[in-house]
Amino acid sequence: MTRIFAVALGILTAIGGFLDIGDMVTNAVVGSRFGLSLAWVVVVGVGGICVFAHMAGKVAAVSGRATFEVIRERLGPRLAVANLGASFAINLLTLTAEVGGVALALQLASSVHYLAWVPLAALAVWFVIWRVRFQLMENVTGLVGLLLIGFAVAFFLLGPDWNELGRQVMQVLPSSESPFTYWFYAVALFGAALTPYEVFFFSSGAVEEGWTTKDLAESRANVLVGFPLGGILSIAIAGCAAIVLLPAGIEVTTLSQVVLPVQEAGGRLLLAVAILGIVAATFGAALETTLSAGYTLAQFFGWTWGKFRAPAAAARFHVTMAICLIIGLGVLATGADPIMVTEISVVFSAAALPLTYLPILIVANDPDYMGSHVNGRWLNAIGQVYLAVILVVSVAAIPLLVITGVGQ
Amino acid sequence: MAHRWGSRIAAVIAAAVLAGGCAQVSADDPAATAVSESHAAVATMALAVRLSLDGRATNQSTQVVIDDSVETVADAQQSLMTSSGTDPARLQLAETVIGPVLTEGRRIADRGPDNLSAADLQRLQQLEQELADALEELGG
């Protein structure tokens, strides 16, 4: 019974914790401009994160060590430093976007300018990381983040025209948009679904929670059930925008526009649910990115790390996270638009994907680390197909960013 | 062999960037862009005002949507003022339609969601139509 409860809780928190500001904004922008014609990218992206998160969790459960520790040892410091450089920079950008997302969501609830919320949001992130136990932190943000289900409820309450949505799904390129813009957003959606911090957090979290090979089934259930259901919430956000905003000629540029369809569908009550869900999801992601910043650096340099240790016992790990939060705070204090930071972060994320995912595939194939749990033939084949897709996306990301002027 | 493939990939990327650059230049019309952005902002404001009048939105969220929309229109007007090399007649047309939108948006934002009325919604819908007409005239 306890086991079933643990698996159910894991799946629920995986659903609630799947979405972050990048997923929410990118899906809403895409829905308001392309309808559901890019929904296939979410499906492909969710498949990718399932494959690689499963591998990363397996590496952690079998070896008892997090991805970065193993990468440095297995691939040597030179390749590991390239991995670290790209992942750390993008993670910092994502952290900034998430803190900005929390502030924007609180602005929606209070109408107090988001810049006033930024320091409080950053302080709250630091406090939770400093004081709250890992499991409690993960479960609370994941479960409250489930309130994003409000978007799925809104989608059905809006009474969608299924024929029109079906036509959008089958449409390769809407006539009103250029192919470059279409592919730019395809890359952005893919990058949002496979953000590198997700696997670093997933594998380090496995070590924090002391996973062993006995936990592999639970890990598989979290990934293979929780993430796809989270992906459905992503499509619901795009669907809401496609039903309400696209016909009105409203292209999403702010978070306040993202919740307009929810208000249309369910009024104030559903709006409150959605805002609470957004606050929890972005706050949870801010915690995860901040922790990932500490994890990656500490694991690369061999520092003592982990929330299961007292802060004094992992001082450099905690100082790294505090500095990263201060940097994020500084970027937002310049008045940088959090939505623009989000859009840029998901595209750069896409550009750096091979540096994150290739090492995971290599380590998951190494019998010295994995023993009998080394990747099977099918998992390898799927992993290699995804790696090829990731390489194409990575090459295309920056040129598309330049060509389209960040998707204009 | 690898070198030859590297050169081909570089050439394809360069061609894509150049082609995209050309497409970007032809699509980059400050007047049409500013009117298009303002149109989306007014449509957003109109939707927010309607939801507020229907009792489906909170005052806080409505205020944020209106403030964000006014900021978008102000940015669009600012970009018109700083643009160069655009046909003055097109700029004039864009400025003529965006000016009243900004004035109306600021008036609504200052009065606050408590004082919204059906007349405000009607006025926004009228401005939305004027922007749509201007956009059509500009070929946007």
Side-chain angles (χ1 to χ4, degrees):
Chain A
M1 193 64 186
T2 316
R3 193 82 180 157
I4 293 171
F5 177 74
V7 171
L9 185 64
I11 290 171
L12 290 176
T13 53
I15 301 168
F18 180 79
L19 292 178
D20 65 3
I21 187 77
D23 292 299
M24 284 184 269
V25 168
T26 314
N27 276 286
V29 173
V30 165
S32 71
R33 290 180 66 165
F34 302 89
L36 285 182
S37 64
L38 279 164
W40 63 271
V41 181
V42 178
V43 176
V44 174
V46 169
I49 193 68
C50 286
V51 167
F52 286 98
H54 170 59
M55 283 186 214
K58 205 167 62 159
V59 169
V62 173
S63 69
R65 296 160 72 191
T67 312
F68 241 98
E69 288 178 311
V70 182
I71 286 173
R72 190 182 189 283
E73 187 179 274
R74 170 67 176 78
L75 303 177
R78 193 173 293 176
L79 191 56
V81 86
N83 185 354
L84 174 75
S87 307
F88 190 80
I90 287 155
N91 189 59
L92 199 53
L93 206 55
T94 315
L95 186 163
T96 306
E98 302 298 348
V99 174
V102 178
L104 285 174
L106 290 171
Q107 179 187 21
L108 262 179
S110 65
S111 80
V112 173
H113 198 275
Y114 80 92
L115 280 175
W117 287 111
V118 166
L120 291 174
L123 192 68
V125 169
W126 173 79
F127 179 80
V128 170
I129 286 176
W130 185 263
R131 296 293 301 172
V132 180
R133 278 189 305 115
F134 185 89
Q135 220 154 19
L136 182 67
M137 172 198 95
E138 195 183 25
N139 289 345
V140 170
T141 54
L143 289 176
V144 183
L146 265 181
L147 291 176
L148 285 175
I149 220 159
F151 280 95
V153 172
F155 178 78
F156 287 104
L157 286 178
L158 286 166
D161 176 347
W162 295 104
N163 287 334
E164 170 58 17
L165 291 183
R167 192 193 60 76
Q168 289 175 7
V169 170
M170 301 308 288
Q171 186 180 32
V172 177
L173 177 69
S175 56
S176 56
E177 298 281 354
S178 82
F180 291 112
T181 319
Y182 177 85
W183 287 108
F184 169 81
Y185 279 106
V187 164
L189 271 181
F190 192 73
L194 276 117
T195 320
Y197 83 85
E198 290 178 38
V199 286
F200 294 133
F201 180 77
F202 193 72
S203 92
S204 303
V207 177
E208 294 264 21
E209 291 177 334
W211 283 9
T212 65
T213 48
K214 285 182 189 158
D215 299 299
L216 281 175
E218 190 183 327
S219 154
R220 204 174 298 135
N222 288 356
V223 168
L224 299 181
V225 181
F227 286 2
L229 290 175
I232 289 174
L233 287 186
S234 294
I235 294 177
I237 292 173
C240 284
I243 295 168
V244 175
L245 305 180
L246 178 65
I250 298 171
E251 290 179 9
V252 169
T253 52
T254 63
L255 189 67
S256 59
Q257 290 168 311
V258 177
V259 293
L260 286 171
V262 174
Q263 296 173 54
E264 176 84 284
R268 291 174 183 172
L269 181 64
L270 204 54
L271 171 67
V273 168
I275 290 177
L276 205 53
I278 294 173
V279 171
T282 48
F283 190 74
L287 293 168
E288 292 179 10
T289 46
T290 306
L291 279 164
S292 292
Y295 290 144
T296 50
L297 218 61
Q299 288 165 14
F300 179 81
F301 287 112
W303 301 337
T304 311
W305 62 273
K307 263 185 66 58
F308 60 91
R309 293 188 169 96
R316 282 178 289 194
F317 170 66
H318 277 274
V319 168
T320 301
M321 291 189 289
I323 291 172
C324 288
L325 272 173
I326 291 167
I327 292 172
L329 194 64
V331 171
L332 291 168
T334 64
D337 177 9
I339 299 296
M340 185 54 82
V341 174
T342 304
E343 289 185 1
I344 290 173
S345 77
V346 293
V347 176
F348 275 94
S349 191
L353 287 177
L355 289 167
T356 303
Y357 292 104
L358 173 64
I360 293 173
L361 188 61
I362 292 172
V363 173
N365 268 296
D366 190 332
D368 289 344
Y369 288 96
M370 302 301 292
S372 61
H373 293 282
V374 73
N375 274 355
R377 192 180 299 169
W378 278 105
L379 186 56
N380 255 341
I382 297 169
Q384 282 167 16
V385 169
Y386 264 106
L387 199 64
V389 175
I390 280 170
L391 280 170
V392 172
V393 167
S394 160
V395 170
I398 304 300
L400 285 171
L401 180 90
V402 175
I403 289 167
T404 62
V406 202
Q408 298 303 306
Chain B
M1 190 68 176
H3 175 71
R4 207 190 305 164
W5 272 107
S7 309
R8 282 180 191 173
I9 291 169
V12 169
I13 292 172
V17 171
L18 276 174
C22 295
Q24 185 69 23
V25 169
S26 64
D28 195 11
D29 174 358
T33 304
V35 173
S36 171
E37 286 171 356
S38 301
H39 178 262
V42 171
T44 305
M45 258 193 281
L47 177 56
V49 169
R50 180 173 64 74
L51 289 169
S52 179
L53 292 174
D54 290 350
R56 305 178 83 79
T58 61
N59 281 352
Q60 289 85 347
S61 68
T62 306
Q63 185 69 54
V64 175
V65 175
I66 292 171
D67 289 343
D68 285 347
S69 303
V70 170
E71 204 177 310
T72 304
V73 179
D75 288 346
Q77 193 185 48
Q78 184 65 31
S79 70
L80 274 183
M81 288 173 181
T82 54
S83 69
S84 58
T86 310
D87 178 4
R90 293 173 70 82
L91 281 181
Q92 176 69 37
L93 173 60
E95 277 169 3
T96 308
V97 284
I98 291 175
V101 171
L102 192 55
T103 309
E104 186 64 20
R106 282 182 174 149
R107 189 185 65 79
I108 290 174
D110 289 344
R111 281 172 57 213
D114 273 335
N115 300 309
L116 289 173
S117 65
D120 293 321
L121 178 57
Q122 212 170 3
R123 175 74 181 128
L124 285 171
Q125 286 167 337
Q126 185 192 338
L127 288 168
E128 192 183 336
Q129 188 55 50
E130 286 171 15
L131 285 162
D133 293 342
L135 196 57
E136 202 175 318
E137 206 173 320
L138 290 166

